[in-house]
Amino acid sequence: MRRWLSVPMMTLCLLLAGCGGEREDAADLRAPYRTMEGCSMEAVVTCTQEGQVWEASMKCDYTPEGESTVEVTAPETIAGVKAVITQEDWSLAYEDVCLNAGTLSEETVSPAVCLPRLMSALRDGWLLEENTEERQDIPCVRLALEQTGSGGGDIVTTIWLQQTDGTPVFGEIAVE
């Protein structure tokens, strides 16, 4: 069974030093992500599992080696729910209540953790494929990156980065 998470990037504000100039290949595009201290982003996250489609708008403050937070901004029925993500675990928080949270697979992938996972793949994923193509009429470099999940299975993350500056435009995560 294959589960997909797709993330069209609406806004990505990276705290990077020395960005700019022409990018030529995957290594050049990924270099700023490997050295960044963190970033903030907003995206619409869509999850397809067993024929069901779920979608939410989220904002994320990502810290590579520390604690990241993801907050649902829409739909209104779940707006304000936050996921607090560390290297070892994650939990859901709403107002003063904090709950441990489950995942959609043995590989600890869920809609709540997909934005930090996209950044993690950009930083540390094994490059499987690299090509150029347009996404939403934007010239992009498409990278397929593989990581091993906590359960030993493969997680394949595909990310479309703008050719001009390496900003993420769209991402997908496939597990199982």
Side-chain angles (χ1 to χ4, degrees):
M1 176 184 331
R2 196 160 258 231
R3 295 183 180 107
W4 294 90
L5 294 171
S6 62
V7 184
M9 300 295 187
M10 295 175 2
T11 304
L12 182 64
C13 180
L14 300 175
L15 305 175
L16 302 173
C19 291
E22 287 297 313
R23 308 288 186 177
E24 295 182 6
D25 61 14
D28 288 339
L29 286 169
R30 294 174 69 188
Y33 296 99
R34 289 187 169 133
T35 59
M36 74 179 181
E37 294 180 17
C39 69
S40 295
M41 63 191 116
E42 292 182 27
V44 175
V45 176
T46 303
C47 177
T48 303
Q49 180 185 18
E50 298 176 4
Q52 301 289 332
V53 178
W54 177 88
E55 184 175 284
S57 295
M58 298 183 184
K59 63 181 179 180
C60 174
D61 291 318
Y62 172 72
T63 306
E65 304 300 326
E67 184 176 280
S68 298
T69 59
V70 177
E71 182 177 353
V72 177
T73 58
E76 191 175 318
T77 55
I78 58 172
V81 173
K82 289 183 182 179
V84 180
I85 300 131
T86 64
Q87 295 291 325
E88 298 83 33
D89 200 8
W90 70 283
S91 59
L92 290 176
Y94 183 73
E95 294 178 354
D96 293 335
V97 179
C98 184
L99 305 169
N100 285 332
T103 61
L104 294 179
S105 76
E106 293 177 21
E107 302 310 334
T108 63
V109 175
S110 78
V113 300
C114 70
L115 295 175
R117 185 160 278 289
L118 286 170
M119 293 296 105
S120 172
L122 266 175
R123 291 173 56 83
D124 304 321
W126 180 262
L127 182 64
L128 298 175
E129 298 173 17
E130 172 187 0
N131 65 305
T132 58
E133 61 183 61
E134 283 196 9
R135 186 75 193 206
Q136 301 170 344
D137 295 324
I138 300 169
C140 294
V141 174
R142 178 189 162 276
L143 305 176
L145 307 159
E146 183 178 51
Q147 292 177 296
T148 302
S150 59
D154 293 336
I155 301 171
V156 177
T157 303
T158 306
I159 302 174
W160 287 259
L161 302 173
Q162 287 184 26
Q163 285 180 348
T164 56
D165 64 4
T167 301
V169 174
F170 190 85
E172 294 178 343
I173 300 172
V175 295
E176 299 178 359

